[in-house]
Amino acid sequence: MNCPRCATINLDGSVVCSSCGAQLPTAAPPPGAAPYGAPPMGAAPGYPPGPPPGYYPPPYGVPMQMAPSTSGMAVAGFVLSFLCALLGLIFSIIGYNEVKNSNGMKTGGGLALAGIIISIVNMLLGIMIMSSK
Ligand SMILES: [Zn+2]
């Protein structure tokens, strides 16, 4: 870390410059803060607790996922709704909630909803067939 006043190279985590005593802008950054580069000037104290709208900080150590991915649970629920109505219903509901709670990072809500509907229809058909005998 270079001193902003005299450009002396100081050890990372130094609070003041070892040469001129000037206060260094980044004193011991909080763990996990901005793993890709230095945090913005004066960002450590009083950092806003919530990220600004539209900005999602990447999970620490995990590369940021730019494109939303389809919920695997929604896909599984949709497929299972044709094979086993009860499992399809469970997986579709899990997938639907996953999409709903993902802040747009997961897609497949329509697929999950279709899986829920198909599962219920399959179940009703099964009940009708069983009760008609
Ligand atoms: Zn200095």
Side-chain angles (χ1 to χ4, degrees):
M1 132 73 47
N2 285 20
C3 172
R5 194 190 288 177
C6 68
T8 297
I9 298 163
N10 289 281
L11 289 172
D12 281 345
S14 299
V15 182
V16 291
C17 174
S18 59
S19 174
C20 71
Q23 200 146 48
L24 297 172
T26 46
Y36 313 113
M41 284 286 203
Y47 198 73
Y55 173 74
Y56 297 100
Y60 304 128
V62 176
M64 192 173 180
Q65 217 171 1
M66 291 308 288
S69 62
T70 306
S71 164
M73 281 296 189
V75 176
F78 182 74
V79 173
L80 280 170
S81 66
F82 293 99
L83 308 171
C84 175
L86 186 64
L87 276 179
L89 185 64
I90 293 166
F91 275 71
S92 294
I93 290 170
I94 294 170
Y96 186 72
N97 282 323
E98 198 177 61
V99 171
K100 214 169 60 174
N101 298 326
S102 69
N103 281 329
M105 290 312 288
K106 289 248 184 240
T107 58
L111 205 62
L113 206 59
I116 293 170
I117 293 164
I118 293 164
S119 296
I120 291 170
V121 168
N122 268 349
M123 252 191 246
L124 291 176
L125 280 175
I127 292 166
M128 278 164 69
I129 290 165
M130 289 212 313
S131 59
S132 67
K133 278 180 183 168

